[in-house]
Coordinates of all heavy atoms in Angstrom, one line a residue:
M1 N 55.3 -66.0 159.7 CA 54.5 -66.7 158.7 C 53.0 -66.4 159.0 O 52.6 -66.5 160.1 CB 54.8 -68.2 158.8 CG 54.1 -69.0 157.8 SD 54.6 -70.7 157.9 CE 55.0 -70.9 156.2
P2 N 52.3 -66.0 157.9 CA 50.9 -65.7 158.1 C 50.1 -67.0 158.5 O 50.5 -68.1 158.2 CB 50.4 -65.2 156.8 CG 51.4 -65.7 155.8 CD 52.7 -65.9 156.5
P3 N 48.9 -66.8 159.2 CA 48.1 -68.0 159.5 C 47.6 -68.6 158.2 O 47.5 -68.0 157.2 CB 47.0 -67.4 160.3 CG 46.9 -66.0 159.9 CD 48.3 -65.6 159.6
P4 N 47.3 -70.0 158.3 CA 46.8 -70.6 157.1 C 45.5 -70.0 156.6 O 44.6 -69.7 157.4 CB 46.6 -72.1 157.5 CG 47.2 -72.2 158.9 CD 47.4 -70.8 159.4
S5 N 45.4 -69.9 155.3 CA 44.2 -69.4 154.7 C 43.1 -70.4 154.7 O 43.3 -71.6 154.6 CB 44.5 -69.1 153.2 OG 43.3 -68.9 152.5
P6 N 41.8 -70.0 154.9 CA 40.7 -70.9 154.9 C 40.6 -71.5 153.5 O 39.9 -72.5 153.3 CB 39.5 -70.1 155.3 CG 39.9 -68.7 155.0 CD 41.4 -68.6 155.2
W7 N 41.2 -70.9 152.5 CA 41.1 -71.5 151.1 C 42.2 -72.5 150.8 O 42.3 -73.0 149.7 CB 41.2 -70.3 150.1 CG 40.0 -69.5 150.2 CD1 39.8 -68.4 151.0 CD2 38.8 -69.6 149.4 NE1 38.5 -67.9 150.8 CE2 37.9 -68.7 149.8 CE3 38.5 -70.5 148.4 CZ2 36.7 -68.5 149.2 CZ3 37.3 -70.4 147.8 CH2 36.4 -69.4 148.2
R8 N 43.1 -72.8 151.8 CA 44.2 -73.6 151.6 C 43.9 -75.0 151.0 O 44.5 -75.4 150.0 CB 45.0 -73.9 152.9 CG 46.2 -74.8 152.7 CD 46.9 -74.9 154.0 NE 48.3 -74.5 153.8 CZ 49.1 -74.1 154.6 NH1 48.7 -73.9 155.9 NH2 50.3 -73.8 154.3
R9 N 42.8 -75.7 151.5 CA 42.4 -77.0 150.9 C 41.9 -76.8 149.5 O 42.2 -77.6 148.6 CB 41.3 -77.6 151.8 CG 41.9 -78.3 153.0 CD 40.8 -79.1 153.6 NE 39.5 -78.4 153.5 CZ 38.5 -78.6 154.4 NH1 38.6 -79.5 155.3 NH2 37.4 -77.9 154.3
Y10 N 41.2 -75.7 149.3 CA 40.6 -75.5 147.9 C 41.8 -75.2 146.9 O 41.7 -75.8 145.8 CB 39.7 -74.2 148.0 CG 39.1 -73.8 146.7 CD1 38.1 -74.6 146.1 CD2 39.4 -72.6 146.1 CE1 37.5 -74.2 145.0 CE2 38.8 -72.2 145.0 CZ 37.8 -73.0 144.4 OH 37.2 -72.6 143.2
V11 N 42.7 -74.5 147.3 CA 43.8 -74.1 146.4 C 44.8 -75.3 146.2 O 45.3 -75.5 145.1 CB 44.6 -72.9 147.0 CG1 45.9 -72.6 146.2 CG2 43.7 -71.7 147.0
R12 N 44.9 -76.1 147.2 CA 45.8 -77.3 147.1 C 45.5 -78.1 145.9 O 46.4 -78.7 145.2 CB 45.7 -78.1 148.4 CG 46.9 -79.1 148.5 CD 46.8 -79.9 149.8 NE 46.9 -79.0 150.9 CZ 46.3 -79.2 152.1 NH1 45.5 -80.2 152.2 NH2 46.4 -78.3 153.0
G13 N 44.3 -78.3 145.5 CA 43.9 -79.1 144.4 C 44.1 -78.4 143.0 O 43.9 -79.0 142.0
M14 N 44.5 -77.2 143.0 CA 44.7 -76.4 141.8 C 46.1 -76.4 141.4 O 47.0 -76.4 142.3 CB 44.2 -75.0 142.0 CG 42.7 -74.9 142.2 SD 42.3 -73.1 142.4 CE 40.6 -73.3 142.6
D15 N 46.4 -76.3 140.2 CA 47.8 -76.1 139.7 C 47.9 -74.7 139.2 O 47.7 -74.4 138.0 CB 48.2 -77.1 138.7 CG 49.7 -77.2 138.4 OD1 50.3 -76.2 138.8 OD2 50.1 -78.2 137.9
I16 N 48.1 -73.7 140.1 CA 48.2 -72.3 139.7 C 49.3 -72.1 138.7 O 49.2 -71.4 137.7 CB 48.3 -71.4 140.9 CG1 47.0 -71.6 141.8 CG2 48.5 -70.0 140.5 CD1 47.1 -70.9 143.1
D17 N 50.5 -72.7 139.0 CA 51.6 -72.5 138.1 C 51.2 -72.9 136.6 O 51.6 -72.2 135.7 CB 52.8 -73.4 138.5 CG 53.4 -72.9 139.9 OD1 52.8 -72.1 140.5 OD2 54.5 -73.4 140.2
A18 N 50.6 -74.1 136.5 CA 50.2 -74.6 135.2 C 49.2 -73.6 134.5 O 49.3 -73.4 133.3 CB 49.6 -76.0 135.3
E19 N 48.3 -73.0 135.3 CA 47.4 -72.1 134.7 C 48.1 -70.8 134.2 O 47.8 -70.3 133.1 CB 46.3 -71.7 135.7 CG 45.1 -71.0 135.0 CD 44.4 -71.8 134.0 OE1 44.3 -73.0 134.1 OE2 44.0 -71.1 133.0
I20 N 49.1 -70.3 135.0 CA 49.9 -69.2 134.6 C 50.6 -69.5 133.3 O 50.5 -68.7 132.3 CB 50.9 -68.7 135.7 CG1 50.1 -68.2 136.9 CG2 51.9 -67.7 135.2 CD1 51.0 -68.0 138.1
I21 N 51.2 -70.6 133.2 CA 52.0 -71.0 132.0 C 51.0 -71.1 130.8 O 51.3 -70.6 129.7 CB 52.7 -72.3 132.2 CG1 53.9 -72.0 133.1 CG2 53.2 -72.9 130.9 CD1 54.6 -73.3 133.7
S22 N 49.9 -71.8 131.0 CA 48.9 -71.9 130.0 C 48.4 -70.6 129.4 O 48.3 -70.4 128.2 CB 47.7 -72.8 130.5 OG 46.7 -72.9 129.5
L23 N 48.0 -69.7 130.3 CA 47.5 -68.4 129.9 C 48.6 -67.6 129.1 O 48.3 -66.9 128.1 CB 47.0 -67.6 131.0 CG 45.7 -68.1 131.6 CD1 45.3 -67.4 132.9 CD2 44.5 -68.0 130.6
L24 N 49.8 -67.7 129.6 CA 50.9 -66.9 128.9 C 51.2 -67.6 127.5 O 51.5 -66.8 126.6 CB 52.2 -66.9 129.7 CG 52.2 -65.9 130.9 CD1 53.4 -66.2 131.8 CD2 52.1 -64.5 130.4
R25 N 51.1 -68.9 127.4 CA 51.3 -69.5 126.1 C 50.2 -69.1 125.1 O 50.4 -69.2 123.9 CB 51.3 -71.0 126.3 CG 52.6 -71.6 126.7 CD 52.6 -73.1 126.6 NE 53.9 -73.5 126.9 CZ 54.2 -74.6 127.7 NH1 53.2 -75.3 128.1 NH2 55.4 -74.9 127.9
E26 N 49.0 -68.8 125.6 CA 47.9 -68.4 124.7 C 48.1 -67.0 124.1 O 47.4 -66.6 123.2 CB 46.6 -68.4 125.4 CG 46.1 -69.8 125.8 CD 44.9 -69.8 126.7 OE1 44.3 -68.7 127.0 OE2 44.5 -70.9 127.1
R27 N 49.1 -66.2 124.6 CA 49.3 -64.9 124.2 C 50.6 -64.8 123.5 O 51.5 -65.7 123.5 CB 49.3 -64.0 125.4 CG 47.8 -63.9 126.0 CD 47.8 -63.2 127.3 NE 46.4 -63.0 127.8 CZ 45.6 -63.9 128.3 NH1 46.0 -65.2 128.3 NH2 44.4 -63.6 128.8
A28 N 50.8 -63.6 122.9 CA 52.1 -63.4 122.2 C 53.3 -63.5 123.2 O 53.1 -63.2 124.4 CB 52.1 -62.0 121.5
P29 N 54.4 -63.9 122.7 CA 55.6 -64.0 123.6 C 55.9 -62.8 124.5 O 56.4 -62.9 125.6 CB 56.7 -64.4 122.7 CG 56.1 -65.0 121.5 CD 54.8 -64.3 121.4
D30 N 55.6 -61.6 124.0 CA 56.0 -60.4 124.7 C 54.7 -59.8 125.5 O 54.8 -58.8 126.1 CB 56.5 -59.3 123.8 CG 55.6 -58.9 122.7 OD1 54.7 -59.7 122.4 OD2 55.8 -57.9 122.1
A31 N 53.6 -60.5 125.5 CA 52.4 -60.1 126.2 C 52.4 -60.5 127.6 O 53.3 -61.3 128.1 CB 51.2 -60.7 125.5
S32 N 51.5 -59.8 128.4 CA 51.5 -60.1 129.8 C 50.0 -60.5 130.2 O 49.1 -60.3 129.4 CB 51.9 -58.9 130.6 OG 51.0 -57.8 130.5
I33 N 49.9 -61.0 131.4 CA 48.6 -61.3 132.0 C 48.5 -60.7 133.4 O 49.5 -60.4 134.0 CB 48.3 -62.9 132.0 CG1 49.4 -63.6 132.9 CG2 48.3 -63.5 130.7 CD1 49.0 -65.0 133.2
C34 N 47.3 -60.5 133.8 CA 47.1 -60.0 135.2 C 46.8 -61.2 136.1 O 46.2 -62.2 135.6 CB 45.8 -59.1 135.1 SG 45.4 -58.5 136.7
P35 N 47.2 -61.2 137.3 CA 46.9 -62.3 138.2 C 45.4 -62.6 138.3 O 45.0 -63.7 138.5 CB 47.5 -61.8 139.6 CG 48.6 -60.8 139.2 CD 48.1 -60.2 138.0
S36 N 44.6 -61.6 138.1 CA 43.1 -61.8 138.1 C 42.7 -62.7 137.0 O 41.7 -63.4 137.1 CB 42.4 -60.5 138.2 OG 42.5 -59.8 137.0
D37 N 43.4 -62.7 135.8 CA 43.1 -63.6 134.7 C 43.3 -65.0 135.2 O 42.4 -65.9 134.8 CB 44.0 -63.3 133.5 CG 43.9 -62.0 132.9 OD1 42.8 -61.4 133.0 OD2 44.9 -61.5 132.4
V38 N 44.3 -65.3 135.9 CA 44.6 -66.6 136.4 C 43.5 -67.0 137.4 O 42.9 -68.1 137.3 CB 46.0 -66.7 137.1 CG1 46.2 -68.1 137.6 CG2 47.0 -66.3 136.1
A39 N 43.2 -66.2 138.4 CA 42.2 -66.5 139.4 C 40.8 -66.7 138.8 O 40.1 -67.7 139.2 CB 42.1 -65.3 140.4
R40 N 40.5 -65.9 137.8 CA 39.2 -66.1 137.1 C 39.1 -67.4 136.3 O 38.1 -68.0 136.2 CB 38.9 -64.9 136.2 CG 38.5 -63.7 137.0 CD 38.2 -62.5 136.1 NE 37.7 -61.4 136.9 CZ 38.0 -60.2 136.8 NH1 39.0 -59.8 135.9 NH2 37.5 -59.2 137.5
A41 N 40.2 -67.8 135.8 CA 40.3 -69.1 135.0 C 40.1 -70.3 135.9 O 39.6 -71.3 135.5 CB 41.6 -69.2 134.2
L42 N 40.5 -70.1 137.2 CA 40.5 -71.2 138.1 C 39.2 -71.3 139.0 O 38.9 -72.3 139.6 CB 41.7 -71.2 139.1 CG 43.0 -71.4 138.4 CD1 44.2 -71.1 139.4 CD2 43.2 -72.9 137.9
A43 N 38.5 -70.2 139.1 CA 37.3 -70.2 140.0 C 36.1 -69.5 139.3 O 36.3 -68.7 138.4 CB 37.7 -69.4 141.2
T44 N 35.0 -69.9 139.7 CA 33.8 -69.2 139.2 C 33.2 -68.4 140.4 O 33.3 -68.7 141.5 CB 32.7 -70.2 138.8 OG1 32.4 -71.1 139.8 CG2 33.3 -71.0 137.6
G45 N 32.6 -67.3 140.0 CA 32.0 -66.4 141.0 C 32.9 -65.4 141.5 O 34.1 -65.6 141.7
E46 N 32.4 -64.2 141.8 CA 33.2 -63.1 142.2 C 34.0 -63.4 143.5 O 35.2 -63.1 143.6 CB 32.2 -61.9 142.5 CG 32.9 -60.6 142.9 CD 33.5 -59.8 141.7 OE1 33.2 -60.1 140.6 OE2 34.3 -58.9 142.0
H47 N 33.3 -63.9 144.5 CA 34.0 -64.2 145.8 C 35.1 -65.2 145.6 O 36.2 -65.1 146.2 CB 32.9 -64.6 146.8 CG 33.5 -64.9 148.1 ND1 34.0 -63.9 149.0 CD2 33.8 -66.0 148.8 CE1 34.5 -64.4 150.1 NE2 34.3 -65.7 150.0
A48 N 34.8 -66.2 144.8 CA 35.8 -67.3 144.7 C 37.1 -66.8 144.0 O 38.2 -67.1 144.5 CB 35.2 -68.5 143.9
W49 N 37.0 -66.1 142.9 CA 38.2 -65.7 142.2 C 39.0 -64.6 143.0 O 40.2 -64.6 143.1 CB 38.0 -65.3 140.8 CG 37.4 -63.9 140.5 CD1 36.1 -63.7 140.2 CD2 38.1 -62.7 140.5 NE1 35.9 -62.3 140.0 CE2 37.1 -61.7 140.2 CE3 39.4 -62.2 140.8 CZ2 37.4 -60.3 140.1 CZ3 39.7 -60.9 140.7 CH2 38.7 -59.9 140.4
R50 N 38.3 -63.8 143.7 CA 38.9 -62.8 144.6 C 39.7 -63.4 145.7 O 40.8 -63.0 146.1 CB 37.9 -61.8 145.1 CG 37.5 -60.8 144.0 CD 36.6 -59.7 144.6 NE 36.1 -58.8 143.6 CZ 36.9 -57.8 143.1 NH1 38.1 -57.6 143.4 NH2 36.3 -57.0 142.1
A51 N 39.1 -64.5 146.2 CA 39.8 -65.2 147.3 C 41.1 -65.9 146.8 O 42.0 -66.2 147.6 CB 38.9 -66.3 147.9
L52 N 41.2 -66.1 145.5 CA 42.4 -66.8 145.0 C 43.5 -65.8 144.6 O 44.6 -66.2 144.3 CB 42.0 -67.6 143.7 CG 41.3 -68.8 143.9 CD1 40.9 -69.4 142.6 CD2 42.1 -69.8 144.7
M53 N 43.2 -64.5 144.7 CA 44.3 -63.5 144.3 C 45.6 -63.7 145.1 O 46.6 -63.7 144.5 CB 43.7 -62.1 144.4 CG 42.7 -61.8 143.4 SD 43.4 -61.9 141.7 CE 44.6 -60.6 141.7
Q54 N 45.5 -63.9 146.4 CA 46.8 -64.0 147.1 C 47.5 -65.3 146.8 O 48.7 -65.3 146.5 CB 46.6 -63.9 148.6 CG 47.9 -63.8 149.4 CD 48.7 -62.5 149.0 OE1 48.2 -61.4 148.9 NE2 50.0 -62.8 148.6
P55 N 46.8 -66.4 146.7 CA 47.5 -67.6 146.3 C 48.1 -67.5 144.9 O 49.2 -68.0 144.6 CB 46.5 -68.7 146.3 CG 45.5 -68.3 147.3 CD 45.5 -66.8 147.2
V56 N 47.5 -66.8 144.0 CA 48.0 -66.6 142.6 C 49.3 -65.7 142.7 O 50.3 -66.0 142.1 CB 47.0 -66.0 141.7 CG1 47.6 -65.5 140.4 CG2 45.8 -67.0 141.4
R57 N 49.2 -64.6 143.5 CA 50.4 -63.8 143.6 C 51.5 -64.5 144.3 O 52.7 -64.4 143.9 CB 50.0 -62.5 144.5 CG 49.2 -61.5 143.7 CD 48.8 -60.4 144.7 NE 48.2 -59.3 143.9 CZ 48.9 -58.1 143.7 NH1 50.1 -58.0 144.1 NH2 48.3 -57.2 143.0
D58 N 51.2 -65.4 145.3 CA 52.3 -66.2 145.9 C 52.9 -67.1 144.9 O 54.1 -67.3 144.8 CB 51.7 -67.0 147.1 CG 51.3 -66.1 148.2 OD1 51.6 -64.9 148.3 OD2 50.5 -66.6 149.1
A59 N 52.1 -67.8 144.1 CA 52.6 -68.7 143.1 C 53.5 -68.0 142.0 O 54.5 -68.4 141.6 CB 51.5 -69.4 142.4
A60 N 53.0 -66.8 141.6 CA 53.8 -66.0 140.7 C 55.1 -65.6 141.3 O 56.1 -65.6 140.6 CB 53.0 -64.7 140.3
A61 N 55.1 -65.2 142.5 CA 56.4 -64.9 143.2 C 57.4 -66.1 143.2 O 58.6 -65.9 142.8 CB 56.2 -64.4 144.6
N62 N 56.9 -67.3 143.5 CA 57.7 -68.5 143.4 C 58.2 -68.7 142.0 O 59.4 -69.1 141.8 CB 56.9 -69.7 144.0 CG 56.8 -69.6 145.5 OD1 57.6 -69.0 146.2 ND2 55.7 -70.2 146.0
M63 N 57.4 -68.6 141.0 CA 57.8 -68.8 139.7 C 58.8 -67.7 139.2 O 59.7 -68.1 138.5 CB 56.5 -68.7 138.7 CG 55.6 -69.9 138.9 SD 54.1 -69.8 137.9 CE 54.8 -70.2 136.3
A64 N 58.7 -66.5 139.7 CA 59.6 -65.5 139.3 C 61.0 -65.8 139.9 O 62.0 -65.5 139.3 CB 59.1 -64.1 139.8
R65 N 61.0 -66.3 141.1 CA 62.3 -66.7 141.8 C 63.0 -67.8 141.0 O 64.2 -67.8 141.0 CB 62.0 -67.2 143.2 CG 61.7 -66.1 144.2 CD 61.5 -66.6 145.6 NE 60.9 -65.6 146.4 CZ 59.6 -65.5 146.7 NH1 58.8 -66.4 146.3 NH2 59.2 -64.5 147.5
K66 N 62.3 -68.5 140.2 CA 62.8 -69.6 139.3 C 63.1 -69.1 137.9 O 63.4 -69.9 137.0 CB 61.9 -70.8 139.3 CG 61.7 -71.5 140.6 CD 60.6 -72.5 140.5 CE 60.3 -73.1 141.9 NZ 59.1 -74.0 141.8
S67 N 62.8 -67.8 137.7 CA 62.9 -67.2 136.3 C 62.0 -67.7 135.3 O 62.2 -67.5 134.1 CB 64.4 -67.3 135.8 OG 65.3 -66.6 136.7
L68 N 60.9 -68.4 135.7 CA 59.9 -68.9 134.8 C 59.1 -67.7 134.2 O 58.7 -67.8 133.1 CB 59.0 -69.9 135.4 CG 59.7 -71.2 135.9 CD1 58.7 -72.0 136.8 CD2 60.1 -72.0 134.7
I69 N 58.8 -66.8 135.1 CA 58.1 -65.6 134.7 C 58.8 -64.4 135.2 O 59.7 -64.5 136.1 CB 56.6 -65.6 135.2 CG1 56.6 -65.5 136.7 CG2 55.9 -66.8 134.6 CD1 55.2 -65.3 137.3
V70 N 58.4 -63.2 134.8 CA 58.9 -61.9 135.2 C 57.7 -61.2 135.7 O 56.6 -61.2 135.1 CB 59.6 -61.1 134.1 CG1 60.0 -59.7 134.6 CG2 60.9 -61.9 133.7
I71 N 57.8 -60.5 136.8 CA 56.7 -59.7 137.4 C 57.0 -58.2 137.1 O 58.1 -57.8 137.4 CB 56.5 -60.0 138.9 CG1 56.2 -61.4 139.1 CG2 55.4 -59.1 139.5 CD1 56.2 -61.9 140.6
T72 N 56.0 -57.5 136.6 CA 56.3 -56.1 136.3 C 55.2 -55.2 136.9 O 54.1 -55.7 137.1 CB 56.3 -55.9 134.7 OG1 55.0 -56.3 134.2 CG2 57.4 -56.7 134.1
Q73 N 55.5 -54.0 137.1 CA 54.6 -52.9 137.3 C 55.0 -51.8 136.3 O 56.1 -51.3 136.4 CB 54.8 -52.4 138.8 CG 54.1 -53.2 139.8 CD 54.2 -52.6 141.2 OE1 55.1 -51.9 141.6 NE2 53.2 -52.9 142.0
G74 N 54.0 -51.6 135.4 CA 54.4 -50.7 134.3 C 55.5 -51.4 133.5 O 55.3 -52.6 133.2
E75 N 56.5 -50.7 133.2 CA 57.6 -51.3 132.5 C 58.7 -51.8 133.4 O 59.7 -52.4 132.9 CB 58.2 -50.3 131.5 CG 57.2 -49.9 130.4 CD 56.8 -51.1 129.6 OE1 57.6 -52.0 129.2 OE2 55.5 -51.2 129.3
R76 N 58.6 -51.6 134.7 CA 59.6 -51.9 135.7 C 59.5 -53.4 136.2 O 58.4 -53.8 136.5 CB 59.5 -51.0 136.9 CG 60.6 -51.1 137.9 CD 60.4 -50.1 139.0 NE 59.3 -50.3 139.8 CZ 59.3 -50.9 141.0 NH1 60.4 -51.5 141.4 NH2 58.2 -51.1 141.7
H77 N 60.6 -54.1 136.1 CA 60.6 -55.5 136.7 C 60.7 -55.3 138.2 O 61.4 -54.5 138.7 CB 61.8 -56.3 136.2 CG 61.7 -56.7 134.8 ND1 62.3 -57.8 134.3 CD2 61.1 -56.1 133.7 CE1 62.1 -57.9 133.0 NE2 61.3 -56.9 132.6
I78 N 59.8 -56.1 138.9 CA 59.9 -56.0 140.4 C 60.3 -57.3 141.0 O 60.2 -58.3 140.4 CB 58.5 -55.5 141.0 CG1 57.4 -56.6 140.7 CG2 58.1 -54.2 140.4 CD1 56.2 -56.3 141.6
D79 N 60.9 -57.1 142.2 CA 61.3 -58.3 143.0 C 60.1 -59.1 143.4 O 59.1 -58.6 143.7 CB 62.0 -57.7 144.2 CG 62.6 -58.8 145.1 OD1 63.7 -59.3 144.8 OD2 61.9 -59.3 146.0
P80 N 60.3 -60.4 143.4 CA 59.2 -61.3 143.8 C 58.6 -61.0 145.2 O 57.5 -61.3 145.5 CB 59.8 -62.7 143.7 CG 60.9 -62.6 142.7 CD 61.4 -61.2 142.9
G81 N 59.4 -60.4 146.0 CA 59.0 -60.1 147.4 C 58.1 -58.9 147.4 O 57.5 -58.6 148.4
E82 N 57.9 -58.2 146.3 CA 57.1 -57.0 146.2 C 55.7 -57.2 145.6 O 55.0 -56.3 145.2 CB 57.8 -55.9 145.4 CG 59.1 -55.4 146.1 CD 59.8 -54.3 145.3 OE1 59.1 -53.6 144.6 OE2 61.0 -54.3 145.3
V83 N 55.3 -58.5 145.4 CA 54.0 -58.7 144.7 C 52.8 -58.3 145.4 O 51.7 -58.2 144.9 CB 53.9 -60.2 144.4 CG1 55.0 -60.7 143.4 CG2 53.8 -61.1 145.6
D84 N 52.9 -57.9 146.7 CA 51.8 -57.4 147.5 C 51.6 -55.9 147.4 O 50.7 -55.4 148.0 CB 51.9 -57.9 148.9 CG 51.7 -59.4 149.1 OD1 51.1 -60.0 148.3 OD2 52.3 -59.9 150.0
R85 N 52.4 -55.3 146.6 CA 52.3 -53.8 146.5 C 51.8 -53.4 145.2 O 52.6 -53.3 144.2 CB 53.7 -53.2 146.8 CG 54.2 -53.6 148.2 CD 55.5 -52.9 148.5 NE 56.0 -53.4 149.7 CZ 57.3 -53.8 149.8 NH1 58.1 -53.8 148.8 NH2 57.7 -54.3 151.0
G86 N 50.5 -53.1 145.1 CA 50.0 -52.5 143.8 C 49.7 -53.5 142.7 O 50.0 -54.7 142.9
P87 N 49.3 -53.0 141.6 CA 48.9 -53.8 140.4 C 50.2 -54.4 139.8 O 51.2 -53.7 139.7 CB 48.2 -52.9 139.5 CG 48.7 -51.6 139.8 CD 49.0 -51.6 141.3
I88 N 50.1 -55.7 139.4 CA 51.3 -56.3 138.8 C 50.8 -57.0 137.5 O 49.6 -57.3 137.3 CB 52.0 -57.3 139.7 CG1 51.0 -58.5 140.1 CG2 52.6 -56.6 140.9 CD1 51.7 -59.6 140.9
R89 N 51.8 -57.3 136.7 CA 51.5 -58.1 135.5 C 52.5 -59.2 135.4 O 53.6 -59.1 136.0 CB 51.7 -57.2 134.2 CG 50.8 -56.0 134.1 CD 49.4 -56.3 133.8 NE 49.2 -57.0 132.5 CZ 48.0 -57.3 132.1 NH1 46.9 -57.2 132.8 NH2 47.9 -57.9 130.9
L90 N 52.2 -60.3 134.8 CA 53.1 -61.5 134.7 C 53.5 -61.7 133.2 O 52.6 -61.6 132.3 CB 52.3 -62.7 135.2 CG 51.6 -62.6 136.5 CD1 50.9 -63.9 136.9 CD2 52.6 -62.2 137.6
R91 N 54.7 -61.9 133.0 CA 55.3 -62.1 131.6 C 56.2 -63.3 131.6 O 56.7 -63.7 132.6 CB 56.1 -60.9 131.2 CG 55.4 -59.6 131.1 CD 56.3 -58.4 130.7 NE 55.7 -57.2 130.8 CZ 54.9 -56.6 129.9 NH1 54.7 -57.3 128.8 NH2 54.3 -55.5 130.0
R92 N 56.4 -63.8 130.4 CA 57.3 -65.0 130.3 C 58.7 -64.5 130.7 O 59.2 -63.4 130.4 CB 57.4 -65.4 128.8 CG 56.1 -66.0 128.3 CD 56.3 -66.4 126.8 NE 55.0 -66.8 126.3 CZ 54.9 -67.5 125.2 NH1 56.0 -67.8 124.5 NH2 53.7 -67.8 124.8
G93 N 59.4 -65.4 131.5 CA 60.7 -65.2 131.9 C 61.8 -65.9 131.1 O 61.4 -66.7 130.2
P94 N 63.0 -65.8 131.5 CA 64.1 -66.4 130.7 C 64.0 -68.0 130.7 O 64.5 -68.6 129.8 CB 65.4 -66.0 131.4 CG 65.0 -64.8 132.3 CD 63.5 -64.9 132.5
S95 N 63.5 -68.5 131.8 CA 63.4 -70.0 131.9 C 61.9 -70.5 131.6 O 61.6 -71.6 132.0 CB 63.8 -70.4 133.3 OG 65.1 -70.1 133.5
F96 N 61.1 -69.7 131.0 CA 59.8 -70.1 130.6 C 59.8 -71.4 129.8 O 60.6 -71.4 128.8 CB 59.1 -69.0 129.9 CG 57.6 -69.2 129.7 CD1 56.7 -69.0 130.7 CD2 57.1 -69.7 128.4 CE1 55.3 -69.2 130.5 CE2 55.8 -70.0 128.3 CZ 54.9 -69.7 129.3
P97 N 59.0 -72.4 130.1 CA 59.0 -73.6 129.3 C 58.7 -73.4 127.8 O 57.8 -72.7 127.5 CB 57.9 -74.5 129.9 CG 57.5 -73.8 131.2 CD 58.0 -72.4 131.1
R98 N 59.6 -74.0 127.0 CA 59.4 -73.8 125.5 C 58.2 -74.6 125.0 O 57.6 -74.2 124.0 CB 60.7 -74.3 124.8 CG 61.9 -73.5 125.2 CD 62.1 -72.3 124.3 NE 63.3 -71.6 124.8 CZ 63.4 -70.3 124.9 NH1 62.4 -69.6 124.6 NH2 64.5 -69.8 125.3
H99 N 57.9 -75.7 125.6 CA 56.8 -76.5 125.0 C 55.8 -76.9 126.1 O 56.0 -77.0 127.2 CB 57.4 -77.8 124.4 CG 58.4 -77.5 123.4 ND1 58.1 -77.1 122.1 CD2 59.7 -77.7 123.4 CE1 59.2 -76.9 121.4 NE2 60.2 -77.3 122.1

C-alpha cells in the first residue's frame, strides 16, 4: 500500500465520484471525459488540479469496479487496475445512475 498522500485531508472533503457523475451527465450519453476535467472542476490552480489526478484516477477505478463507469484508452475498455498506464477516458457504464 502506498504511503498516504499529503493531499489526503484535502481530497477527503471532496466528492470525486459525484463530480465524475455530474460531468458525464452534462455530456451526451456516449461521450467521455478526461480525468483532468474532473480534477480541474474540483480545484483551482495548476498545482492543485495536477495533485488531484491520482485521487481522481483512484476514484474512477473504484467506480469502474462497480460498473458505474467504463474506463477506456482509445476504443479499448481497460481494467480498473490499469488506470495508471497512459491516458484514459471515462464513460458511462452499465450501472450509471439514471437520475
